[in-house]
Amino acid sequence: MRSKDKISYFYDGDVGSVYFGPNHPMKPHRLCMTHHLVLAYGLHSKMEVYRPHKAYPVELAQFHSADYVEFLNRITPDTQNLFPSEMARYNLGEDCPVFDNLFEFCQIYAGGTIDAARRLNNKLCDIAINWAGGLHHAKKCAASGFCYINDLVLGILELLKYHPRVLYIDIDVHHGDGVEEAFYFTDRVMTVSFHKYGDKFFPGTGDMKCKFILFDGTPAPLMNTSRFAYRGFILKDTGERDGRFYSINVPLKDGIDDGSFTRLFKTIISKVVETYLPGAIVLQCGADSLAGDRLGCFNLSIDGHAECVRFVKKFNLPLLVTGGGGYTKENVARCWALETGVLLDTELPNEQDGTDIFGLSSGYYCSSSILGRVLLVRTLICLKRQITNKQSSIRIVWIRTEHSQLKLAVSTGIELLTECREEFFFPEIPDNDYIKYFAPDYSLKLPGGHIENLNSKSYIGTIKMQVMENLRCLQHAPSVQMQEVPPDFYIPDFDEDEQNPDERVNQHTQDKHIQRDDEYYEGDHDNDNHTDDA
Amino acid sequence: MDEWLRLDDGSLIFKENKGSDSAINGGKSRFRRMFDDVFAVFLSQKPEKKSVRSFPVLSGSGKPIDLFKLFWIVRKLGGYDLVSYKNLWGCVAERCGPDTGAVASLKLVYAKYLREFDHWLKAILKDGNLVEGEVGVIGKLDSLLKELETMFGNLFRSENDCKDELICNVNSQVDYEMFTAESVSDSKHRSCNAEHRKHNRNNGGERSFSKIANDTVFLVSTEGIVEKILRRAPAKSNRQYDDEEKFAQMIGTGEKENNDEEKVSVLNGSDTTVAVGKSVIEDVTASHKRKRGSPCYSEMLNWLKHAAKHSNDPEIGPVLKSLNWKGHTGKDFWFQALAIREVLLKKSHIDTDAGEAKTQKKQRMQPSMYEEEKLNNQPAENLRCSKRIPNLQKHTLCRGCSLCPISRNKVETHQKKEDDIASDLVSVEVSVTEKPKAAYELPRQKAPKVDPGGQPRTAEVPEWTGVISESDAKWLGRRMWPPEVEKTNPLVVLDPVGKGRQSSCDCLLPGSAECNRFHIADQRYKLSRELGPLFTLWRFNKMGEEVSLSWTDEDQEKFKVCIKPSLSQKNNVWSNFKELFPSKTRNMLVSYYFNVFLIRRRTYQNRVTPKDLDSDDDEKEVGRVGGNFGDAAVYVPSSKCLLTCSENKVCTDLQ
């Protein structure tokens, strides 16, 4: 097991000044805030920070069409009116406006992901982080969903130079359609996307069934497909359409919470990794799946989101982590800072809730943390001193809001010291230039989400089963790349088939059976042969 | 009362005699150099300090800060604690100059660099006075502090006419009064310890009063001087324990009548102080009486200085023609100690000095008569000029060159050393003179990184290359952190990683806007210190509300008015801004929008609509509470009480 002690983090100071336009939800300024927070927590001392090179048009054209790249390079806000047809063809305008420094912005974030992949390839680091990247919607010849250049595809292409198989995981609330599409025809990249699907939610793709329609030309949901028929189909299809089953989509409904999401995520990803044996993992950490996102509709807390990152990290594979969506700036910064900490094995303190120590009726509340308590008492004493000097009519009021944080107000009739009300807080997030964004809690904890969880247990169970079925099929889909590292861990199907499911076998007999297998067959190759024979 | 008023007018006469800039500057630069030297000693003695200091000292906006000036101003206002308590940092910032950046960064710099220095000075004066090895340092300190005192006295007077800066004045006056009271009571206390309990009792009220004083350095300094004098005096004197007689003896008059005359006039002088400071310190008349009586000794010390100067300074004659009283008190510092000691040693000089002192006193009260008097003094000065000439010339040469290279500083230091030693002749034996030299030089060599003058050291810019090879560097990203060449700064101690905020602050009002601002600036400073050039590369210098410092208030208002309609336009938000703000580039506008406008909007939301926080909806209502950094909401400069509520119209309107 390699230890993940080398982390490369990519940041370019220029992305902060990129402005998509008024009322555009995408605000690259969140990257500044993230970086500020990362530095405020001192995380930079545990990693290496790199400035990415600006990807050359040639590099971008490894995936994108040259004319599209060239057009992006050429277009400016002033000239966009001159090219209405191109603008429409490349889907520029509404969601993907043309702004100043557009191409430079693309170069920077794409360069970051490419550099990150190269560093991983050269084994210069174990984990590479590029929060500026992760723009997963961009298509080969068009922009889409605030994405112009698909840096993920470029990064994966780079990783593919060194790794036979790359696993792409996407926990953005939107479907990672651009990446899925790009690697739709190869089994060297498996894409797994957890996203909201339905209600015409952008981009409208990523339903589980889609894949099967495309797979054999007819709408054939996996549920209705018998296992053997399915397997046979895959075997038949081998060598002609390599990548058809290597896109896993986990469509979810509104308001999924931490528990069900992380359980589902862990089950699926562990199975995927076990099955697919990727050489490297690319993780897109779109923060719009957090509760309270401006565009998202999930109910994840930062902890739940970060738990996914933590889980992926545990595989100890070369890991490329990118950003993605995320349209409530302060939550994005919170989330990515915390996840940077997770990747560095540095857990940032983020639990904080107010404990009612005086009883609800009195209106006094105190933080559960010692630090907060000390601060509170000091503040109170201090205020009392000031107030008794001045006038006696001042009341001290502790206000508890619905987010269970503590606020302090000093009121004198109609006069209200708003200053106090805002500024007295439990210090959790270290001071930085953007500390005010983290009001009122000033902690890494998100304001709670209030979206109803529409994902019933049975629905999630169904999804899980479908994905597992799909994966089981993949085990029997050898390809050129798979031969290099033959799967050696699963119990061959023939064992299961031979056994009578109605016959109960005790553990001892089972063990004996396995031992006997080991004696008679020299490892995995034999198993494979048997599988093929079967 | 009438007398006070009259004297107040009298002090106005002093003010009219302006035009002494050169003299004041001369005094300042000397003072500054001393400050630099002592500060260097301080730094060299504190190598293990956990706080990180960089030189030159830069404000948040990257502009150099004059430590000396800052120290001086804060001292003048009553020290760090008092300034913090009374919310006077804005005042300090104004005085430090318009381009020194935000209030918080100034406060930060003071807290980082000078507060400890302040304590250190205090400590060394209290405890280290008798340590032989430190005599050199002490000598320096003494002279520095004497200078401080003198300059302080001048400043206090010159500021009387600045009506708009009332608080500062009041503070400085209060301080001034306090320190005189303290010094005298202390001197009394020490000189009379066993025999004169009565004095102690009399002084009791004053000492308790003076405890309030924050300006410890001044207190201690005067105390130190007096103490020294008093410690030495018994060896030579006739063991007269009465304070007045002792002082009289020191001055060398030995004549009570003379002494009494002086006392009367001093009384008047101190009344000026009392009169101005009266509005603030509402004390009973009885204690006034004590005060009136007490400052006279420190005033006498001042006169002693004047006398000493007059009789010693060879340059004083020609210079003084164009100068007023303020100017020349600034210069007497070099000769003060020497004079006192010489007087104590050499009876032969006593009469002359006494005469000078008397003359000085009169001049002080009526400076318009000064020039006439001075003519009379000329011959006496000329008689005594010979031994000081060379040193003085050298000092003049180095005046104002606090930025000169270290080697030159060293030479200068030697000279100064010699001066001090010469002036220390009375108390320090000749054999000791070598010692302080070594004691002083050593720490200077130990701290090569310290440049006392704030001279920018040639910065070590680390080479940023890739890890594998030059050609590959570009394709793998350029390594920014950690720097290739580690800075060999032993002072760097990093905060624990990932622990969030570590300790609660010791601000007076923790969590207030001011405290908040201070800590943000602190963090920013730490970061810039740690990152070095990266701070700029990552554009941290263009982040945060400090961006607004480069914007005028008018521009900011204009921006606020114009941003709203232009946000509704789909494209080219900044197009009409180019005409409105011809001096601003597009990047500046965007930077201002993100770092100032949006943060302020969020601040407004935090305060006014805390239940509806949304920093991502561009069309949210924009308001503003408080001043630019939100500090004006509780900033009530004229009040002694820190917190004064004012009705918040914005808030009540909307809720």
Side-chain angles (χ1 to χ4, degrees), chain A residues 14 23 41 44 49 51 100 115 294 330 382 419 421-424 427 429 433-434 439, chain B residues 475 478 480-481 498 501 508 510-511 513 516 519 524 539 586 595 602 607 615-616 618:
Chain A
D14 289 334
N23 281 315
Y41 273 107
H44 56 295
V49 184
R51 182 182 194 175
D100 289 300
D115 286 349
R294 197 178 164 193
E330 54 266 32
C382 181
E419 203 67 32
R421 199 178 54 178
E422 181 214 351
E423 310 282 2
F424 285 106
I429 289 180
D433 282 330
Y434 299 116
Chain B
W475 299 91
R478 287 176 65 191
M480 313 297 273
W481 181 269
R501 208 175 294 216
L508 186 75
N516 215 4
H519 292 298
R524 194 184 164 88
R539 307 284 185 270
R586 194 189 149 277
N595 290 296
R602 181 57 192 252
R607 288 170 186 169
S615 56
D616 293 294
D618 287 341

Tab-separated table of all heavy atoms in Angstrom, chain A residues 14 23 41 44 49 51 100 115 294 330 382 419 421-424 427 429 433-434 439, chain B residues 475 478 480-481 498 501 508 510-511 513 516 519 524 539 586 595 602 607 615-616 618:
chain	number	residue	atom	x	y	z
A	14	ASP	N	-5.148	34.107	-11.308
A	14	ASP	CA	-5.903	34.895	-12.285
A	14	ASP	C	-7.362	34.477	-12.423
A	14	ASP	O	-8.161	35.223	-12.964
A	14	ASP	CB	-5.224	34.810	-13.659
A	14	ASP	CG	-3.918	35.586	-13.667
A	14	ASP	OD1	-3.802	36.523	-12.869
A	14	ASP	OD2	-3.031	35.237	-14.452
A	23	ASN	N	-25.639	38.129	-12.855
A	23	ASN	CA	-26.619	37.093	-12.566
A	23	ASN	C	-26.261	35.736	-13.120
A	23	ASN	O	-27.103	34.839	-13.164
A	23	ASN	CB	-28.009	37.497	-13.061
A	23	ASN	CG	-28.654	38.459	-12.088
A	23	ASN	OD1	-28.605	38.232	-10.885
A	23	ASN	ND2	-29.209	39.537	-12.593
A	41	TYR	N	-6.504	27.818	6.781
A	41	TYR	CA	-6.383	26.646	7.628
A	41	TYR	C	-4.954	26.099	7.639
A	41	TYR	O	-4.683	25.098	8.279
A	41	TYR	CB	-7.343	25.559	7.158
A	41	TYR	CG	-8.723	25.675	7.764
A	41	TYR	CD1	-9.793	26.098	7.012
A	41	TYR	CD2	-8.934	25.355	9.096
A	41	TYR	CE1	-11.066	26.208	7.565
A	41	TYR	CE2	-10.191	25.462	9.656
A	41	TYR	CZ	-11.257	25.886	8.890
A	41	TYR	OH	-12.492	25.991	9.458
A	44	HIS	N	-1.725	24.520	3.147
A	44	HIS	CA	-0.679	24.559	2.126
A	44	HIS	C	0.637	24.015	2.643
A	44	HIS	O	1.485	23.632	1.860
A	44	HIS	CB	-0.503	25.976	1.604
A	44	HIS	CG	-0.197	26.969	2.680
A	44	HIS	ND1	-1.095	27.270	3.669
A	44	HIS	CD2	0.896	27.713	2.936
A	44	HIS	CE1	-0.565	28.172	4.487
A	44	HIS	NE2	0.638	28.449	4.067
A	49	VAL	N	1.979	23.359	-3.961
A	49	VAL	CA	1.037	24.135	-4.752
A	49	VAL	C	1.704	24.497	-6.074
A	49	VAL	O	2.843	24.960	-6.090
A	49	VAL	CB	0.605	25.407	-4.000
A	49	VAL	CG1	-0.434	26.152	-4.798
A	49	VAL	CG2	0.069	25.050	-2.630
A	51	ARG	N	1.375	26.227	-10.057
A	51	ARG	CA	0.639	27.076	-10.977
A	51	ARG	C	0.596	26.350	-12.303
A	51	ARG	O	1.643	26.036	-12.881
A	51	ARG	CB	1.359	28.405	-11.132
A	51	ARG	CG	0.620	29.343	-12.035
A	51	ARG	CD	1.367	30.627	-12.214
A	51	ARG	NE	0.485	31.619	-12.816
A	51	ARG	CZ	0.848	32.869	-12.997
A	51	ARG	NH1	2.017	33.286	-12.617
A	51	ARG	NH2	0.014	33.712	-13.557
A	100	ASP	N	-14.793	38.495	-21.235
A	100	ASP	CA	-13.372	38.821	-21.372
A	100	ASP	C	-12.535	37.708	-20.767
A	100	ASP	O	-12.901	37.113	-19.754
A	100	ASP	CB	-13.080	40.138	-20.646
A	100	ASP	CG	-13.677	41.320	-21.369
A	100	ASP	OD1	-13.307	41.536	-22.530
A	100	ASP	OD2	-14.534	42.001	-20.772
A	115	ASP	N	-1.967	19.249	-16.290
A	115	ASP	CA	-0.743	19.181	-15.487
A	115	ASP	C	-0.897	18.190	-14.334
A	115	ASP	O	0.037	17.442	-14.016
A	115	ASP	CB	-0.400	20.558	-14.920
A	115	ASP	CG	0.157	21.481	-15.987
A	115	ASP	OD1	0.456	20.985	-17.081
A	115	ASP	OD2	0.303	22.682	-15.710
A	294	ARG	N	-27.511	27.027	-5.065
A	294	ARG	CA	-28.433	27.876	-5.815
A	294	ARG	C	-29.124	27.101	-6.933
A	294	ARG	O	-30.266	27.351	-7.266
A	294	ARG	CB	-27.648	29.060	-6.387
A	294	ARG	CG	-28.536	30.189	-6.827
A	294	ARG	CD	-27.689	31.343	-7.327
A	294	ARG	NE	-28.510	32.271	-8.107
A	294	ARG	CZ	-27.998	33.213	-8.865
A	294	ARG	NH1	-26.702	33.355	-8.947
A	294	ARG	NH2	-28.789	34.009	-9.540
A	330	GLU	N	-19.978	30.503	-0.807
A	330	GLU	CA	-19.366	30.198	0.479
A	330	GLU	C	-19.423	28.702	0.778
A	330	GLU	O	-18.498	28.153	1.375
A	330	GLU	CB	-20.028	31.004	1.593
A	330	GLU	CG	-21.527	30.868	1.687
A	330	GLU	CD	-22.238	31.972	0.924
A	330	GLU	OE1	-21.688	32.429	-0.094
A	330	GLU	OE2	-23.342	32.376	1.333
A	382	CYS	N	-17.445	41.630	29.205
A	382	CYS	CA	-16.960	42.841	28.564
A	382	CYS	C	-18.115	43.783	28.264
A	382	CYS	O	-18.073	44.974	28.567
A	382	CYS	CB	-16.250	42.431	27.294
A	382	CYS	SG	-15.581	43.756	26.400
A	419	GLU	N	-24.017	45.782	15.049
A	419	GLU	CA	-22.618	45.366	14.970
A	419	GLU	C	-22.394	44.108	15.796
A	419	GLU	O	-21.806	43.139	15.353
A	419	GLU	CB	-21.752	46.492	15.510
A	419	GLU	CG	-20.345	46.464	15.029
A	419	GLU	CD	-20.311	46.741	13.548
A	419	GLU	OE1	-21.160	47.486	13.040
A	419	GLU	OE2	-19.444	46.171	12.911
A	421	ARG	N	-24.575	42.048	16.865
A	421	ARG	CA	-25.365	40.913	16.456
A	421	ARG	C	-24.654	40.146	15.349
A	421	ARG	O	-24.704	38.931	15.297
A	421	ARG	CB	-26.719	41.375	15.959
A	421	ARG	CG	-27.721	40.249	15.962
A	421	ARG	CD	-29.052	40.722	15.509
A	421	ARG	NE	-28.935	41.382	14.220
A	421	ARG	CZ	-29.978	41.869	13.563
A	421	ARG	NH1	-31.164	41.794	14.083
A	421	ARG	NH2	-29.817	42.447	12.405
A	422	GLU	N	-24.023	40.861	14.488
A	422	GLU	CA	-23.349	40.132	13.430
A	422	GLU	C	-22.029	39.546	13.878
A	422	GLU	O	-21.693	38.420	13.548
A	422	GLU	CB	-23.069	41.038	12.241
A	422	GLU	CG	-22.389	40.278	11.146
A	422	GLU	CD	-21.400	41.129	10.389
A	422	GLU	OE1	-21.371	42.343	10.596
A	422	GLU	OE2	-20.656	40.560	9.616
A	423	GLU	N	-21.298	40.326	14.635
A	423	GLU	CA	-19.903	39.975	14.753
A	423	GLU	C	-19.578	39.005	15.879
A	423	GLU	O	-18.509	38.431	15.910
A	423	GLU	CB	-19.047	41.230	14.914
A	423	GLU	CG	-19.325	42.299	13.894
A	423	GLU	CD	-18.679	42.005	12.553
A	423	GLU	OE1	-18.058	40.945	12.435
A	423	GLU	OE2	-18.813	42.837	11.648
A	424	PHE	N	-20.490	38.828	16.797
A	424	PHE	CA	-20.186	37.862	17.832
A	424	PHE	C	-20.484	36.476	17.320
A	424	PHE	O	-21.608	36.146	16.996
A	424	PHE	CB	-21.004	38.146	19.086
A	424	PHE	CG	-20.481	39.317	19.831
A	424	PHE	CD1	-21.126	40.524	19.813
A	424	PHE	CD2	-19.306	39.202	20.529
A	424	PHE	CE1	-20.626	41.608	20.478
A	424	PHE	CE2	-18.798	40.294	21.210
A	424	PHE	CZ	-19.459	41.494	21.184
A	427	PRO	N	-15.810	31.261	16.810
A	427	PRO	CA	-14.779	31.190	15.796
A	427	PRO	C	-14.500	29.754	15.396
A	427	PRO	O	-14.176	28.935	16.236
A	427	PRO	CB	-13.564	31.819	16.468
A	427	PRO	CG	-13.832	31.725	17.901
A	427	PRO	CD	-15.308	31.622	18.107
A	429	ILE	N	-14.004	29.091	11.497
A	429	ILE	CA	-13.218	29.357	10.302
A	429	ILE	C	-12.201	30.439	10.643
A	429	ILE	O	-12.546	31.451	11.225
A	429	ILE	CB	-14.138	29.809	9.162
A	429	ILE	CG1	-14.963	28.628	8.677
A	429	ILE	CG2	-13.348	30.423	8.032
A	429	ILE	CD1	-15.907	28.941	7.568
A	433	ASP	N	-9.865	37.175	4.337
A	433	ASP	CA	-10.476	38.353	3.741
A	433	ASP	C	-11.955	38.145	3.431
A	433	ASP	O	-12.699	39.098	3.272
A	433	ASP	CB	-9.729	38.732	2.461
A	433	ASP	CG	-8.439	39.453	2.782
A	433	ASP	OD1	-8.416	40.128	3.817
A	433	ASP	OD2	-7.473	39.334	2.022
A	434	TYR	N	-12.370	36.918	3.318
A	434	TYR	CA	-13.755	36.666	2.938
A	434	TYR	C	-14.572	36.095	4.087
A	434	TYR	O	-15.583	35.443	3.876
A	434	TYR	CB	-13.790	35.718	1.739
A	434	TYR	CG	-13.097	36.297	0.543
A	434	TYR	CD1	-11.954	35.716	0.010
A	434	TYR	CD2	-13.571	37.468	-0.033
A	434	TYR	CE1	-11.319	36.271	-1.086
A	434	TYR	CE2	-12.935	38.033	-1.115
A	434	TYR	CZ	-11.810	37.427	-1.639
A	434	TYR	OH	-11.176	37.986	-2.708
A	439	ALA	N	-20.837	34.115	7.499
A	439	ALA	CA	-21.842	34.429	8.500
A	439	ALA	C	-23.072	33.570	8.212
A	439	ALA	O	-23.303	33.197	7.064
A	439	ALA	CB	-22.197	35.908	8.418
B	475	TRP	N	5.220	21.798	-18.404
B	475	TRP	CA	4.149	20.851	-18.683
B	475	TRP	C	3.629	20.175	-17.428
B	475	TRP	O	2.680	19.427	-17.476
B	475	TRP	CB	4.641	19.798	-19.673
B	475	TRP	CG	5.039	20.432	-20.952
B	475	TRP	CD1	6.257	20.886	-21.308
B	475	TRP	CD2	4.170	20.732	-22.047
B	475	TRP	NE1	6.221	21.459	-22.543
B	475	TRP	CE2	4.948	21.361	-23.027
B	475	TRP	CE3	2.817	20.536	-22.285
B	475	TRP	CZ2	4.414	21.795	-24.227
B	475	TRP	CZ3	2.294	20.953	-23.482
B	475	TRP	CH2	3.090	21.580	-24.444
B	478	ARG	N	4.047	24.886	-12.660
B	478	ARG	CA	5.194	25.492	-11.978
B	478	ARG	C	4.981	25.430	-10.495
B	478	ARG	O	3.948	25.856	-9.977
B	478	ARG	CB	5.349	26.945	-12.420
B	478	ARG	CG	5.871	27.061	-13.816
B	478	ARG	CD	5.911	28.500	-14.222
B	478	ARG	NE	6.860	29.257	-13.414
B	478	ARG	CZ	6.919	30.582	-13.436
B	478	ARG	NH1	6.094	31.261	-14.176
B	478	ARG	NH2	7.810	31.203	-12.697
B	480	MET	N	4.889	26.425	-6.969
B	480	MET	CA	4.852	27.706	-6.280
B	480	MET	C	5.128	27.521	-4.795
B	480	MET	O	5.687	28.384	-4.145
B	480	MET	CB	3.470	28.352	-6.433
B	480	MET	CG	2.927	28.340	-7.833
B	480	MET	SD	3.946	29.278	-8.953
B	480	MET	CE	3.234	30.893	-8.735
B	481	TRP	N	4.653	26.441	-4.281
B	481	TRP	CA	4.761	26.230	-2.853
B	481	TRP	C	4.986	24.756	-2.583
B	481	TRP	O	4.321	23.932	-3.178
B	481	TRP	CB	3.496	26.707	-2.148
B	481	TRP	CG	3.571	26.520	-0.678
B	481	TRP	CD1	3.168	25.431	0.031
B	481	TRP	CD2	4.127	27.417	0.260
B	481	TRP	NE1	3.441	25.598	1.341
B	481	TRP	CE2	4.020	26.809	1.521
B	481	TRP	CE3	4.716	28.690	0.144
B	481	TRP	CZ2	4.494	27.442	2.675
B	481	TRP	CZ3	5.162	29.286	1.293
B	481	TRP	CH2	5.044	28.671	2.545
B	498	GLY	N	-4.765	23.157	10.013
B	498	GLY	CA	-6.126	22.654	9.950
B	498	GLY	C	-6.894	22.708	11.245
B	498	GLY	O	-7.854	21.981	11.426
B	501	ARG	N	-9.460	28.463	14.002
B	501	ARG	CA	-9.047	29.539	14.890
B	501	ARG	C	-8.537	28.936	16.192
B	501	ARG	O	-9.171	28.072	16.778
B	501	ARG	CB	-10.230	30.440	15.143
B	501	ARG	CG	-9.837	31.836	15.438
B	501	ARG	CD	-11.069	32.654	15.547
B	501	ARG	NE	-11.743	32.715	14.252
B	501	ARG	CZ	-12.366	33.800	13.836
B	501	ARG	NH1	-12.375	34.863	14.565
B	501	ARG	NH2	-12.969	33.803	12.687
B	508	LEU	N	-10.201	44.310	23.302
B	508	LEU	CA	-11.055	44.850	24.344
B	508	LEU	C	-12.481	44.378	24.152
B	508	LEU	O	-13.172	44.004	25.086
B	508	LEU	CB	-11.001	46.380	24.311
B	508	LEU	CG	-11.747	47.021	25.470
B	508	LEU	CD1	-10.956	46.885	26.734
B	508	LEU	CD2	-12.038	48.462	25.155
B	510	PRO	N	-13.984	41.666	22.068
B	510	PRO	CA	-13.793	40.578	21.117
B	510	PRO	C	-15.022	40.415	20.235
B	510	PRO	O	-16.156	40.425	20.718
B	510	PRO	CB	-13.584	39.353	22.011
B	510	PRO	CG	-13.993	39.755	23.361
B	510	PRO	CD	-13.945	41.225	23.448
B	511	GLY	N	-14.768	40.281	18.973
B	511	GLY	CA	-15.870	40.096	18.056
B	511	GLY	C	-16.415	41.372	17.470
B	511	GLY	O	-17.250	41.339	16.600
B	513	ALA	N	-16.404	44.834	15.267
B	513	ALA	CA	-15.942	45.054	13.904
B	513	ALA	C	-14.464	45.387	13.890
B	513	ALA	O	-13.713	44.933	13.032
B	513	ALA	CB	-16.748	46.186	13.268
B	516	ASN	N	-12.523	42.269	14.566
B	516	ASN	CA	-12.618	41.456	13.368
B	516	ASN	C	-11.624	41.906	12.317
B	516	ASN	O	-10.849	41.134	11.758
B	516	ASN	CB	-14.034	41.625	12.827
B	516	ASN	CG	-14.534	40.365	12.219
B	516	ASN	OD1	-13.843	39.349	12.279
B	516	ASN	ND2	-15.704	40.410	11.646
B	519	HIS	N	-8.057	41.178	13.165
B	519	HIS	CA	-7.607	39.807	12.996
B	519	HIS	C	-7.511	39.420	11.529
B	519	HIS	O	-6.650	38.627	11.153
B	519	HIS	CB	-8.523	38.859	13.748
B	519	HIS	CG	-8.409	39.018	15.230
B	519	HIS	ND1	-7.225	38.777	15.898
B	519	HIS	CD2	-9.283	39.431	16.169
B	519	HIS	CE1	-7.406	39.023	17.190
B	519	HIS	NE2	-8.645	39.429	17.377
B	524	ARG	N	-3.841	38.268	7.284
B	524	ARG	CA	-3.340	38.692	5.993
B	524	ARG	C	-1.841	38.947	6.067
B	524	ARG	O	-1.084	38.549	5.189
B	524	ARG	CB	-4.077	39.976	5.611
B	524	ARG	CG	-3.945	40.408	4.190
B	524	ARG	CD	-4.669	41.738	4.045
B	524	ARG	NE	-4.290	42.400	2.823
B	524	ARG	CZ	-4.903	42.197	1.674
B	524	ARG	NH1	-5.912	41.388	1.594
B	524	ARG	NH2	-4.501	42.834	0.586
B	539	ARG	N	-2.436	36.844	-6.179
B	539	ARG	CA	-3.347	37.990	-6.189
B	539	ARG	C	-3.970	38.249	-4.824
B	539	ARG	O	-5.035	38.824	-4.730
B	539	ARG	CB	-4.466	37.793	-7.225
B	539	ARG	CG	-3.971	37.467	-8.612
B	539	ARG	CD	-3.417	38.688	-9.304
B	539	ARG	NE	-3.049	38.390	-10.682
B	539	ARG	CZ	-1.851	37.962	-11.072
B	539	ARG	NH1	-0.905	37.784	-10.165
B	539	ARG	NH2	-1.582	37.736	-12.331
B	586	ARG	N	-10.520	47.421	-16.309
B	586	ARG	CA	-11.623	46.495	-16.135
B	586	ARG	C	-11.340	45.555	-14.967
B	586	ARG	O	-12.228	45.236	-14.177
B	586	ARG	CB	-11.803	45.683	-17.417
B	586	ARG	CG	-13.115	44.963	-17.447
B	586	ARG	CD	-13.208	43.995	-18.602
B	586	ARG	NE	-14.048	42.882	-18.224
B	586	ARG	CZ	-13.635	41.832	-17.531
B	586	ARG	NH1	-12.374	41.768	-17.173
B	586	ARG	NH2	-14.456	40.857	-17.215
B	595	ASN	N	-14.516	42.003	-4.373
B	595	ASN	CA	-13.859	42.072	-3.078
B	595	ASN	C	-14.424	43.120	-2.146
B	595	ASN	O	-14.258	43.019	-0.945
B	595	ASN	CB	-12.364	42.332	-3.261
B	595	ASN	CG	-11.670	41.142	-3.838
B	595	ASN	OD1	-11.623	40.097	-3.213
B	595	ASN	ND2	-11.155	41.277	-5.046
B	602	ARG	N	-22.831	41.573	1.473
B	602	ARG	CA	-23.021	40.455	2.381
B	602	ARG	C	-22.999	40.934	3.840
B	602	ARG	O	-23.779	40.468	4.665
B	602	ARG	CB	-21.912	39.408	2.142
B	602	ARG	CG	-22.011	38.189	3.020
B	602	ARG	CD	-23.345	37.489	2.867
B	602	ARG	NE	-23.548	36.489	3.893
B	602	ARG	CZ	-23.514	35.185	3.685
B	602	ARG	NH1	-23.313	34.719	2.484
B	602	ARG	NH2	-23.699	34.347	4.668
B	607	ARG	N	-26.125	41.800	8.716
B	607	ARG	CA	-26.562	42.643	9.818
B	607	ARG	C	-28.046	42.940	9.764
B	607	ARG	O	-28.707	42.980	10.792
B	607	ARG	CB	-25.799	43.968	9.776
B	607	ARG	CG	-24.376	43.778	10.182
B	607	ARG	CD	-23.583	45.013	9.923
B	607	ARG	NE	-22.182	44.768	10.198
B	607	ARG	CZ	-21.227	45.595	9.876
B	607	ARG	NH1	-21.501	46.707	9.265
B	607	ARG	NH2	-19.977	45.305	10.157
B	615	SER	N	-25.511	35.525	-1.097
B	615	SER	CA	-24.436	36.296	-1.705
B	615	SER	C	-24.354	36.026	-3.197
B	615	SER	O	-23.473	36.527	-3.870
B	615	SER	CB	-23.112	35.956	-1.033
B	615	SER	OG	-22.889	34.573	-1.098
B	616	ASP	N	-25.244	35.215	-3.712
B	616	ASP	CA	-25.117	34.830	-5.113
B	616	ASP	C	-26.205	35.403	-6.004
B	616	ASP	O	-26.198	35.187	-7.194
B	616	ASP	CB	-25.129	33.303	-5.215
B	616	ASP	CG	-23.894	32.711	-4.595
B	616	ASP	OD1	-22.813	32.946	-5.140
B	616	ASP	OD2	-24.004	32.050	-3.562
B	618	ASP	N	-27.377	38.471	-7.681
B	618	ASP	CA	-26.785	39.773	-7.967
B	618	ASP	C	-27.771	40.916	-7.786
B	618	ASP	O	-27.388	42.071	-7.733
B	618	ASP	CB	-26.235	39.802	-9.393
B	618	ASP	CG	-24.981	38.976	-9.486
B	618	ASP	OD1	-24.377	38.721	-8.438
B	618	ASP	OD2	-24.605	38.580	-10.602
